[in-house]
């Protein structure tokens, strides 16, 4: 079970398990030490109440929580195992992987696996990916393929049931090869890889530095580019030049072009990219301007209209997009498209 | 049921429902019009394959999808209703609120309600909020109070079961009044309100402009400040001065102080806030510097150490924080703390 291990009065998991299994609650010295350590690192005194979290049913195995205060518990009772984990996914998931999965494997002696391989594409609509891999989607167990659409990403998941890890591999590799041949450079990554992580690796591997001038995304592209540890190697500066004044004064965008074409235009996006590049002396400059909505759209320039420009090695390029959805959706799709433009530019020079 | 309404071959919900209920699939003209309209607005041609999504079991009521391509369906069959909704939460939720909830109320004649009121606090640990409202957390139905912790936020949810909306109100208001008296200015909002939304309203209402110089958050604070439509009224510029060079050259941070105290220090945060404020000629300047990790920490300056400074009306202020968790967690908690500092500064002049 998950949740109810916190310090508050409606957190009753531990006491309920103790009651049901007829055990006393005892203070676990290890759990108390972890708890005090957690607050020490945060530079705070442990609030009263929190000690409760170190009280566990007698005989329970305590699972250390490295990102929160609630320890996990494994209680073996009448040949059954009761497993209690904290509720927040960011606390639960690492604890499950580190302690619970190995415990269950040992306990059950089961080695049969369901192996998954996720192949992630960007830039193609779901219906198009579907047409390209239609035959694979019809496969029957033990090896199947599923398709999942996210905002601008489409993921293919190959699943293979097998006796163990090793015997699942050939079936997955055979299908993966086909998918790679058909989807080529629309594939940006695999499994846990993120688009921002892939772009970060490309920048580091190719020793490229980058600056971003982004208007409608308001810092989101910069934020995603710095989600990777060590991003100071490649990320020099983000600028969020929201007003026209700032675009003119600090980014050197032509006031005449702003009047003539408007802030949301190919011309302004290109100037933002080229100017931040030369201003910061970096390899790659990105310029983004658009209408995130829900207000601010017109007939000629509707909400969701976005221009993304890249300046790299003397070659400047701008693309027009029309996104749909809420303000947050438009911002997210814009950041997706911008990261993909960086990826393609470094990897394929397009 | 939800999901399986997409254009791909593994989307089998519609055809399965047709088969089970013995109905033919027919092309729904309204759904086709919506679908074409969707792609027209996106400036794309509708891919083949996608027409499938306008084929529905004969006699089905079609629910318009305003943010995606898959329409919802209500099929009344042998006095039962089969309701099919798209899988993505952002498509499903508005469709449920707009069409399904009213349909179910009409169909069942049930008016009995579960009314919820969420009160959102920031800056207090969960255990402390718990102590303050402990008596309320012990309440029994029909009116109960739950407590939920997020990163730096703690939410209290009051739930009242009643015959109708109106008779649920007094019980909720009575408890809400107590919570407000006890938690005071730790409360930043209610129900669907977000911290960034509340800060945006405060900036607009008080006619304040703001600029952010953020290092370790990499644009996240700027991005959240511009998540509100109309943010160009108050948001002048975000800067992400990642490198020391940029901090010196464009933000005028003292090179001597950078050497003496390091980039992650009270002094540098204060200078970033004060300098971006005067540079941009805005009312409020924010300076943020820290170590987001997982690398880059030292014994004296561990991962999670963050300084947030605010410069506003001649009064400058800096706060030290020690956050825990992944790089993304540290970034998010930093943005939470920064937004709260802005909120308190405008609202309570602290």
């Amino acid at each position: 079970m998950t949740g109810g291990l916190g310090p508050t009065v409606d957190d009753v998991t531990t006491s309920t398990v103790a009651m049901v299994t007829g055990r006393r609650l005892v203070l676990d010295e290890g759990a108390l030490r972890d708890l005090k350590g957690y607050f020490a690192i945060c530079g705070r005194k442990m609030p009263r109440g929190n000690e409760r979290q170190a009280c566990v049913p007698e005989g329970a195995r305590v699972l250390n929580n490295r990102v929160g205060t609630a320890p996990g518990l494994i209680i073996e009772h009448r040949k059954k195992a009761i497993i209690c984990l904290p509720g927040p996914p960011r606390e639960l998931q690492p604890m499950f992987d580190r302690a619970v999965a190995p415990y269950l494997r040992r306990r059950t002696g089961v080695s049969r696996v369901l192996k998954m391989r996720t192949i992630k594409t960007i830039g193609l609509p779901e219906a198009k990916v579907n047409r390209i891999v239609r035959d694979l989607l019809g496969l029957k167990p033990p090896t199947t393929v599923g398709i999942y659409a996210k905002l601008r990403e489409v993921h293919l998941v190959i699943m293979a049931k097998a006796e163990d890890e090793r015997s699942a591999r050939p079936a997955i590799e055979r299908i993966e090869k086909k998918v790679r041949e058909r989807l080529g450079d629309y594939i940006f990554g695999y499994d846990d890889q993120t688009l921002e992580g892939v772009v970060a690796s490309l920048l580091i591997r190719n020793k490229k530095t980058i600056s971003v001038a982004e208007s409608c995304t308001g810092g989101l592209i910069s934020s995603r580019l710095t989600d990777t540890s060590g991003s100071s190697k490649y990320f020099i500066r983000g600028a969020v030049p929201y007003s026209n004044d700032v675009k003119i004064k600090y980014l050197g965008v032509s006031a005449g072009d702003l009047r003539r074409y408007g802030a949301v235009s190919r011309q302004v996006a290109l100037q933002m990219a080229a100017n931040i590049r030369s201003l910061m002396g970096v390899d790659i400059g990105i310029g983004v301007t658009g209408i995130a909505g829900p207000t601010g759209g017109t007939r000629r320039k509707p909400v969701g209209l976005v221009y993304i420009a890249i300046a790299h090695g003397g070659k400047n390029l701008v693309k027009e997009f029309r996104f749909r959805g809420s303000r947050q959706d438009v911002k997210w799709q814009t950041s997706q498209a911008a990261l993909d433009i960086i990826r393609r530019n470094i990897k394929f020079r397009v």
Side-chain angles (χ1 to χ4, degrees), chain A residues 177-216:
Chain A
K177 189 159 167 276
K178 284 188 194 168
V179 172
R180 291 168 77 138
E181 282 165 8
R182 298 188 199 172
L183 288 169
D185 58 14
Y186 288 104
I187 298 171
F188 71 85
Y190 300 87
D191 298 330
D192 289 340
Q193 287 188 308
T194 61
L195 184 56
E196 50 268 43
V198 167
V199 170
S201 309
L202 279 172
L203 288 163
I204 291 171
R205 207 175 323 130
N206 292 276
K207 295 197 173 57
K208 298 283 183 187
T209 54
I210 191 166
S211 280
V212 178
E214 50 181 324
S215 182
C216 64

Side-chain angles (χ1 to χ4, degrees), chain A residues 146-167:
Chain A
I147 184 168
Y148 304 92
K150 316 257 164 192
L151 283 175
R152 283 195 81 74
E153 293 183 19
V154 178
H155 298 180
L156 292 170
V157 181
I158 311 170
M159 276 172 291
K161 283 190 186 138
E163 284 312 311
D164 52 50
E165 289 266 335
R166 238 184 87 190
S167 51

Side-chain angles (χ1 to χ4, degrees), chain A residues 6 20 40 66 68 74 86 98 114 119 131 134 150 153 156 216 234 266 345:
Chain A
V20 168
R66 299 187 186 173
I74 299 180
R98 207 179 55 238
L114 172 65
I119 304 176
R131 261 206 315 284
R134 194 192 292 266
K150 316 257 164 192
E153 293 183 19
L156 292 170
C216 64
Y234 56 82
R266 287 175 188 281
N345 191 279

